[in-house]
Amino acid sequence: GAVVSQHPSRVICKSGTSVKIECRSLDFQATTMFWYRQFPKQSLMLMATSNEGSKATYEQGVEKDKFLINHASLTLSTLTVTSAHPEDSSFYICSARDRRVPDTQYFGPGTRLTVL
Amino acid sequence: KQEVTQIPAALSVPEGENLVLNCSFTDSAIYNLQWFRQDPGKGLTSLLLIQSSQREQTSGRLNASLDKSSGRSTLYIAASQPGDSATYLCAVDNYGQNFVFGPGTRLSVLP
């Protein structure tokens, strides 16, 4: 089946630094990618929808200047957490929608971010 | 706005039992519904996908049903095993937009 990768799988950083997380669709083109966040013992919450070649659409309550999303190609979307704080520590998961099979969405393995 | 709930929040059963996990959603205009499994600290594993036109899907010991009109789905696990212990998430696809996830059911199957 289709594969979505995320890099890195784990990252630990100091407060105030920026962290970039990559989401790649390995064997298909994804015009739309989604970024989710999951706090401990809670379900996934959508942060933003990323469309190739256009600006991301952010969910209410998600700061677009803090969580920068770039979807520069049909196989890559990046999420940059700027000026990270401990409360940004979370599990970030991306998903990608195959442009050939739009009713199917594939999830990445997730990135665990810890901000000290 | 679509909301998804899951009952029970947690479930602990002895090995070998059959069990049912419940999912409810408020807006019946969905594209499809998907059940996922998540192990602690891991990403999502897709278990079953039910299109809006379907009523059920089966994979091995798993069977998922969908009743769009009542806004409900159930995941049936037969002959549960300790390896089934995980959090099970229900998610609805809002017409090709994003998924809306339920809070999950944390399952423990005791040997």
Side-chain angles (χ1 to χ4, degrees), chain A residues 10 34 36 38 41-44 46 49 59 91 93 97 102-105 107-110 112, chain B residues 31-32 34 36 38 40-44 49 51 89 93 96-99 101-104 106:
Chain A
R10 289 179 178 271
F34 302 93
Y36 298 84
Q38 185 179 33
K41 297 188 178 181
Q42 296 184 28
S43 191
L44 276 73
L46 178 68
T49 301
E59 294 300 299
F91 194 51
I93 297 180
R97 200 176 283 279
D103 63 345
T104 304
Q105 200 173 133
F107 286 82
R112 182 162 302 284
Chain B
Y31 197 52
N32 60 50
Q34 199 159 352
F36 295 90
Q38 187 176 31
K42 303 292 185 180
L44 301 176
L49 169 68
Q51 301 289 352
L89 294 163
D93 189 342
Q97 301 302 314
N98 59 284
F99 274 102
F101 286 84
R106 194 163 56 255

Side-chain angles (χ1 to χ4, degrees), chain A residues 28-93:
Chain A
F28 65 96
Q29 293 182 329
T31 51
T32 303
M33 290 184 172
F34 302 93
W35 287 95
Y36 298 84
R37 179 168 54 184
Q38 185 179 33
F39 291 110
K41 297 188 178 181
Q42 296 184 28
S43 191
L44 276 73
M45 297 295 293
L46 178 68
M47 297 176 66
T49 301
S50 170
N51 293 302
E52 186 267 337
S54 64
K55 292 183 178 180
T57 303
Y58 291 81
E59 294 300 299
Q60 192 172 10
V62 178
E63 300 174 57
K64 62 180 181 180
D65 295 329
K66 180 171 182 61
F67 299 98
L68 302 179
I69 292 174
N70 186 295
H71 193 157
S73 76
L74 288 171
T75 60
L76 173 65
S77 176
T78 60
L79 168 68
T80 301
V81 183
T82 62
S83 187
H85 290 151
E87 55 264 34
D88 298 325
S89 298
S90 187
F91 194 51
Y92 293 86
I93 297 180

Side-chain angles (χ1 to χ4, degrees), chain B residues 2-23:
Chain B
Q2 178 75 268
E3 293 184 0
V4 180
T5 55
Q6 290 185 244
I7 294 174
L11 182 63
S12 184
V13 300
E15 181 177 6
E17 274 203 7
N18 302 323
L19 54 99
V20 175
L21 308 182
N22 297 290
C23 172

Side-chain angles (χ1 to χ4, degrees), chain B residues 54-92:
Chain B
Q54 298 175 322
R55 293 193 66 83
E56 68 176 338
Q57 282 287 328
T58 298
S59 175
R61 295 183 292 109
L62 305 179
N63 176 278
S65 67
L66 173 64
D67 184 343
K68 268 185 54 177
S69 61
S70 66
R72 294 180 182 178
S73 176
T74 60
L75 178 66
Y76 176 82
I77 302 177
S80 59
Q81 303 171 358
D84 295 331
S85 298
T87 296
Y88 290 80
L89 294 163
C90 163
V92 297

